Amino acid sequence: MSKIWPVQDAKARFSELLETSLAEGPQIVTKRGVETAVLVPIDEWRRLEMRARPDLKQLLLAPGARTDALTPPRPQHRHRVSPSFE
C-alpha cells in the first residue's frame, strides 16, 4: 500500500522512504499537500517503462501503421533564392 510522505519528511527520512518503497511498493511524495512525485523500486520502473513503449510489431500492426516513430525527423533545409542576372 502506498504511503503519503510530505516533502519535508521525505527529505529528512529519505533512507526510510527508500526502504519502505523497496518493501511495500510505490511511495507518494506531496508538496504543499499536492501529490507531486512517486518513488518506485527500479524493477517496477523498468517494467512500467517497457509497457509504455510500443515494440516494432505493435507499431506496424497499429491502424495506419505509424512508422514515422521509427525514423528520426529530417532537418528542414532553407532554399536560397537564385540570383537574378539581368
Side-chain angles (χ1 to χ4, degrees), residues 1 4 7 9-10 20 30 41 46 49 53 77 81 85-86:
M1 181 176 160
I4 296 178
V7 71
D9 291 348
T20 305
T30 62
R46 288 187 176 132
E49 198 172 36
R53 185 181 316 150
H77 295 286
V81 178
F85 299 105
E86 295 180 25

Side-chain angles (χ1 to χ4, degrees), residues 15 49 54 80:
S15 292
E49 198 172 36
R80 290 185 285 167

Side-chain angles (χ1 to χ4, degrees), residues 11-56:
K11 287 168 57 175
R13 300 168 37 206
F14 184 76
S15 292
E16 183 181 345
L17 170 64
L18 180 59
E19 290 302 320
T20 305
S21 173
L22 294 172
E24 299 176 17
Q27 301 297 300
I28 299 169
V29 179
T30 62
K31 188 172 186 178
R32 297 186 187 122
V34 177
E35 294 179 346
T36 308
V38 178
L39 181 65
V40 296
I42 192 67
D43 292 337
E44 186 168 348
W45 171 255
R46 288 187 176 132
R47 183 181 56 78
L48 291 169
E49 198 172 36
M50 290 304 293
R51 281 179 72 194
R53 185 181 316 150
D55 62 7
L56 179 60

Side-chain angles (χ1 to χ4, degrees), residues 54-70:
D55 62 7
L56 179 60
K57 181 179 177 181
Q58 291 172 325
L59 283 172
L60 293 175
L61 293 176
R66 297 175 187 91
T67 57
D68 57 331
L70 301 175

